[in-house]
Amino acid sequence: MERTVLLAHGGGGVQTQQLIDRVFKAHFANPYFTADDAAVLPMGKERLAFSTDGFIVSPPFFPGGNIGKLSICGTVNDLACMGAEPLWLSCAFVLEEGFALEDLERIAQAMAETAKEAGVALVAGDTKVASKGQVDKVFITTSGIGRILPGIATSGAKACDGDAILVTGDIGRHGAAILLAREEFGIEAQVTSDCAPLWHLVEASLKTCPDIHVIRDATRGGVGTVLYEIAGQSQVGIEITQEDIPVDPQVRGICNMLGLDPLYLACEGRLVLMVPKEHAQDILKSLQALPHGQGAKCIGYVNAHLKPGSVVVETAIGAKTLLPRPTGELLPRIC
Amino acid sequence: MCVGLSAKVVRVDRGTALIDADGARREVSSQLLSDLEPGDYVMVHAGIAIAKISESDTEESSHVLAGILNPKDNQLS
Amino acid sequence: MQDDVASKALSLLKAYAGPPLKIMEVCGTHTHEIFRLGIRQVLPASLTLISGPGCPVCVTPVSYIDEAIYLALEKDVVLTTFGDLLRVPGSEMSLAQARQKGAQVRMVYSPLDALDIARQEEREVVFLSVGFETTVPGECLAVQEAEKRGIANFSLLCANKTMPRAYEALEGSADAFLYPGHVVAISGTQTCKALKDKGVSGVVCGFTAAEILTALACIVHESEKGEPFFVNGYPRVVKDEGNPSAQQLIADTMESCDAEWRGLGVIEGSGLRLAKKFSARDARLRFAIPPQSGKPNPHCRCGEVLKGECLPTDCGVFGRACTPTHPVGACMVSSEGTCAAYFQYGQS
């Protein structure tokens, strides 16, 4: 392992995991410690989910949202994926000296709107100001508490042979929107971030089938990274069909320009679910009936005949190949 | 090497062309191609339009296949 | 499969009953697409695909990365580069690692974007000019534009390569080549035709599933006749004459030179550098870069892999010390690299 922190350590892939294992797990270990999105804490007869997430995004405003909306969605979605109804959030701001108050207000407004949509209350906060250049405009950390629905126990380790794999909409739009907003590659497209709070989707699918095995939100490393994480945790093989993966044509166009694969572009409003095959159609229907789930699709199945931990893609010509593993920082391939 | 992008020309303006790939757009150099017009399809590499495209890949492939299987019926070399 | 042409080509390939054939692709994007689509798995055992030295990242010598890092760290130059090069290991470090030490390294989509950076930047801006015939015209355009617009702080660090001499160096390593479609789109088909006259067979190949399968089908069909052959399997993009404007631009801006290919060594006349009249924009001269010896890892067998002499899995560091997150050799860096493709797609 490297002796300094690399950008790839924040990419959400293998290297992030190594950093957590080597530095944080080594020092923080206790019975409740989790490397998952949220810890599960017993509280009387209830089980609480507790989660925290830091947000740095450059630029802080992008088509389809801003860092404020993102900071609510991120924590709400981490709780939701544990089957927990999000109840309370706290937020801490680190602001750069000179940041426009008007922009801060737009961020706060987006946070309030998103919290309302998610049914969660912002109950505590903190503000620090750093001198110019010490932070990039604004960093936000949110923490949240949710109540896990009785009888629900989803986990990344519970994917079973035959499970249908669902995604709740077209993939990679957040990553593509950020790429465009950075204006580094001179590309223009009408792509908005998929950034959305997903509790209502989780609630609806659990109501349809309380026995859903895995619920995860695809964030930094995209859907490809989540599939590998689940395949590893559950020690199962996963098979997806290339042509069934929903991708917005413009996102596909951007990926073709830069030699990127949408499976590794970030999402901020997409769930990956592993559900018993016989309930897949009903769950899809309940997802598609909600605003953030209209594009939900089944993209493949868990397959016990494949090597545990592997993700296989059926390609356009009907061949089956391994999906490349995510490898940290996403670099365009051009020459 | 040489990732290529096939895209439609939207606008041509003094050495540059605005190209569209499924709705994603970018200005590229059109200096290597003469008489480009809006509606043409081009192959773009690293921000430069390098060739005009005459047909779809599947039309092309069926012509190429026909060419090798029935060499008398066409002029492809 | 919805695609009728692709399935027709595929059934031709599956029906192949001739002697074993080795087919070499010499374009990294072909390597990438062949793996991504899983083409190897649908071919009969008698057809072997070998990946040749067509990924510019993979054939770039270690010393080139060292030169770039020298510019960034010692000369305070802003480096502009395609993302492809960022993780290629130099003797001491990669550009990504140099960035942590304070090197200014900016990724661009086009050499013309690098010129835009130079226009806005007071410091010296160097574009890392790698790539084959396809990429060179854009790099020439950037230099010509810099002259025209009087942008003085822009130069190129050239490691450009051309294919014709490489085919000669690879003679005998395969029964037929899949010629790189976008290279031939620039240079025209005469090199391929000349190779046919010398007994070397090949088909110009596009990049979609239909095009790759069709080109392979052409190879097996033509091979059965027992004569050297050449087919343009990518006529929607590749014209016999290539792109004359691009050829002229290259001739006006660059000149031929010997070039070091990682693994193949120095091949005479296989490189391009800026012509004398643009020598002020040659970063090697402009910054008087001292010669870099370039120390590749001694266990790395990228060179043999590039020549098709061994498989990635034959290399002692493959998959152990050398992985996509910690590449030892260049073939593991680029997703077009043969080693990366073998690692990622689990071929053995």
Side-chain angles (χ1 to χ4, degrees):
Chain A
M1 190 167 153
E2 289 79 4
R3 294 165 66 182
T4 54
V5 175
L6 306 181
L7 280 175
H9 283 130
V14 183
Q15 283 159 292
T16 307
Q17 198 54 48
Q18 286 171 350
L19 187 78
I20 292 172
D21 288 346
R22 172 168 146 176
V23 182
F24 300 126
K25 228 179 205 168
H27 292 283
F28 297 170
N30 66 63
Y32 302 110
F33 180 87
T34 178
D36 277 342
D37 289 335
V40 178
L41 308 171
M43 193 61 68
K45 284 182 188 161
E46 302 271 10
R47 288 171 306 150
L48 298 184
F50 181 40
S51 180
T52 189
D53 212 338
F55 297 84
I56 57 173
V57 53
S58 172
F61 295 90
F62 48 84
N66 62 43
I67 189 172
K69 180 178 180 183
L70 201 60
S71 72
I72 303 298
C73 295
T75 295
V76 163
N77 296 347
D78 282 350
L79 295 172
C81 289
M82 305 300 293
E85 179 184 9
L87 299 173
W88 304 292
L89 294 189
S90 72
C91 56
F93 291 84
V94 182
L95 302 168
E96 186 184 21
E97 179 188 19
F99 188 65
L101 271 184
E102 193 189 337
D103 286 342
L104 189 58
E105 230 166 65
R106 280 169 69 197
I107 289 171
Q109 192 189 346
M111 291 173 77
E113 280 167 12
T114 313
K116 191 174 167 203
E117 186 191 342
V120 67
L122 278 159
V123 294
D126 180 54
T127 310
K128 297 282 188 296
V129 178
S131 53
K132 188 108 192 133
Q134 283 196 318
V135 297
D136 183 14
K137 298 186 183 76
V138 50
F139 294 169
I140 304 177
T141 300
T142 54
S143 302
I145 292 175
R147 182 176 46 224
I148 299 174
L149 298 187
I152 300 298
T154 68
S155 155
K158 290 179 74 174
C160 298
D161 186 31
D163 278 1
I165 303 168
L166 315 181
V167 293
T168 57
D170 63 310
I171 66 168
R173 269 209 275 132
H174 180 72
I178 293 292
L179 209 96
L180 294 177
R182 285 189 185 154
E183 296 177 354
E184 280 169 357
F185 297 109
I187 302 168
E188 281 173 35
Q190 306 304 312
V191 175
T192 52
S193 166
D194 48 37
C195 176
L198 301 174
W199 165 243
H200 297 307
L201 288 183
V202 171
E203 190 182 27
S205 44
L206 285 172
K207 234 177 227 165
T208 312
C209 170
D211 185 31
I212 289 177
H213 298 149
V214 182
I215 306 177
R216 294 291 287 274
D217 64 330
T219 55
R220 284 177 292 196
V223 169
T225 303
V226 167
L227 292 177
Y228 263 108
E229 282 170 5
I230 298 170
Q233 284 176 16
S234 298
Q235 282 302 298
V236 293
I238 283 176
E239 184 172 328
I240 57 174
T241 304
Q242 185 78 49
E243 290 183 350
D244 290 338
I245 300 168
V247 182
D248 177 86
Q250 298 196 49
V251 172
R252 166 108 37 225
I254 294 165
C255 286
N256 286 343
M257 276 189 202
L258 298 176
L260 301 173
D261 187 336
L263 275 171
Y264 302 108
L265 283 183
C267 309
E268 289 292 347
R270 295 291 179 249
L271 298 172
V272 176
L273 301 101
M274 310 247 166
V275 308
K277 202 174 186 173
E278 61 275 21
H279 298 296
Q281 284 311 316
D282 291 339
I283 296 170
L284 271 179
K285 270 185 210 137
S286 66
L287 289 167
Q288 286 159 351
L290 290 167
H292 301 307
Q294 285 166 358
K297 276 191 82 174
C298 175
I299 61 166
Y301 296 92
V302 175
N303 182 343
H305 300 295
L306 299 172
K307 192 175 151 200
S310 66
V311 180
V312 168
V313 187
E314 186 182 326
T315 73
I317 64 163
K320 290 179 181 177
T321 71
L322 275 179
L323 179 72
R325 277 181 183 277
T327 51
E329 203 187 348
L330 210 58
L331 296 176
R333 188 171 61 87
I334 294 162
C335 71
Chain B
M1 78 186 116
C2 321
V3 174
L5 172 76
S6 66
K8 189 175 179 176
V9 175
V10 180
R11 192 177 64 221
V12 186
D13 180 27
R14 284 185 306 173
T16 65
L18 181 68
I19 53 110
D20 182 309
D22 296 322
R25 295 183 167 201
R26 198 185 193 282
E27 290 277 354
V28 302
S29 166
S30 61
Q31 292 177 77
L32 299 184
L33 301 175
S34 51
D35 63 39
L36 264 194
E37 284 176 24
D40 287 346
Y41 281 82
V42 288
M43 188 56 69
V44 173
H45 169 70
I48 320 286
I50 58 165
K52 259 201 223 187
I53 301 176
S54 52
E55 58 189 345
S56 80
D57 67 319
T58 47
E59 288 165 352
E60 168 200 64
S61 294
S62 28
H63 292 152
V64 171
L65 278 184
I68 56 158
L69 298 176
N70 317 295
K72 281 176 216 146
D73 303 346
N74 77 98
Q75 287 82 43
L76 284 169
S77 58
Chain C
M1 201 180 351
Q2 310 159 328
D3 204 324
D4 286 349
V5 196
S7 27
K8 194 170 170 193
L10 191 52
S11 50
L12 281 173
L13 288 165
K14 284 183 170 161
Y16 177 70
L21 277 182
K22 279 205 280 182
I23 303 167
M24 179 179 263
E25 83 268 0
V26 286
C27 170
T29 303
H30 281 152
T31 308
H32 188 263
E33 287 302 302
I34 286 167
F35 275 100
R36 196 182 64 80
L37 291 163
I39 287 180
R40 274 183 171 76
Q41 286 144 58
V42 295
L43 295 182
S46 50
L47 297 177
T48 310
L49 297 184
I50 335 170
S51 309
C55 155
V57 168
C58 305
V59 296
T60 299
V62 173
S63 57
Y64 179 76
I65 301 298
D66 296 346
E67 288 181 307
I69 290 171
Y70 170 84
L71 287 178
L73 293 181
E74 305 295 326
K75 297 287 175 181
D76 199 28
V77 151
V78 177
L79 293 180
T80 50
T81 177
F82 295 130
D84 313 49
L85 275 181
L86 228 59
R87 297 196 302 121
V88 181
S91 296
E92 304 288 330
M93 63 184 119
S94 65
L95 291 167
Q97 286 160 331
R99 200 169 52 178
Q100 294 156 46
K101 294 193 186 294
Q104 281 282 331
V105 185
R106 303 210 198 138
M107 259 189 288
V108 294
Y109 172 65
S110 168
L112 295 172
D113 298 348
L115 188 62
D116 280 339
I117 291 177
R119 216 183 41 205
Q120 292 155 19
E121 183 62 57
E122 285 183 1
R123 279 178 292 179
E124 287 284 332
V125 173
V126 174
F127 180 70
L128 302 184
S129 182
V130 295
F132 290 84
E133 286 90 334
T134 322
T135 316
V136 171
E139 290 154 345
C140 293
L141 266 183
V143 166
Q144 297 278 2
E145 288 288 311
E147 286 291 308
K148 220 185 282 174
R149 294 196 254 158
I151 301 169
N153 60 336
F154 180 75
S155 54
L156 300 186
L157 184 64
C158 288
N160 296 103
K161 307 266 192 294
T162 53
M163 283 309 292
R165 293 294 175 85
Y167 295 126
E168 290 168 21
L170 290 166
E171 219 176 301
S173 33
D175 299 302
F177 284 111
L178 277 182
Y179 290 125
H182 293 149
V183 166
V184 188
I186 298 288
S187 56
T189 55
Q190 89 262 13
T191 304
C192 311
K193 286 176 178 161
L195 284 165
K196 177 190 158 189
D197 295 339
K198 287 186 198 164
V200 179
S201 296
V203 174
V204 181
C205 183
F207 298 89
T208 68
E211 286 168 338
I212 297 174
L213 291 172
T214 298
L216 291 170
C218 286
I219 288 179
V220 303
H221 188 270
E222 296 296 301
S223 294
E224 284 178 328
K225 298 180 188 162
E227 297 285 321
F229 57 89
F230 165 67
V231 180
N232 179 0
Y234 195 28
R236 69 188 182 118
V237 169
V238 171
K239 308 291 167 249
D240 270 342
E241 69 276 18
N243 183 327
S245 314
Q247 294 161 13
Q248 189 59 48
L249 177 69
I250 297 172
D252 288 345
T253 320
M254 297 230 180
E255 61 186 28
S256 167
C257 64
D258 299 346
E260 185 190 346
W261 297 55
R262 191 188 288 242
L264 302 179
V266 175
I267 303 178
E268 211 175 292
S270 68
L272 287 171
R273 65 176 172 220
L274 281 170
K276 289 261 170 346
K277 61 178 163 179
F278 296 113
S279 57
R281 295 192 185 272
D282 181 334
R284 256 179 217 108
L285 304 172
R286 189 183 183 108
F287 300 99
I289 305 177
Q292 307 285 320
S293 54
K295 294 184 281 288
N297 186 307
H299 301 293
C300 169
R301 294 179 70 184
C302 278
E304 291 157 82
V305 170
L306 284 171
K307 282 182 282 189
E309 288 174 1
C310 83
L311 290 176
T313 42
D314 298 329
C315 173
V317 288
F318 174 83
R320 297 184 185 89
C322 184
T323 64
T325 34
H326 291 97
V328 171
C331 299
M332 188 58 95
V333 175
S334 163
S335 59
E336 296 187 353
T338 312
C339 296
Y342 267 70
F343 186 88
Q344 294 287 19
Y345 293 96
Q347 305 283 320
S348 55

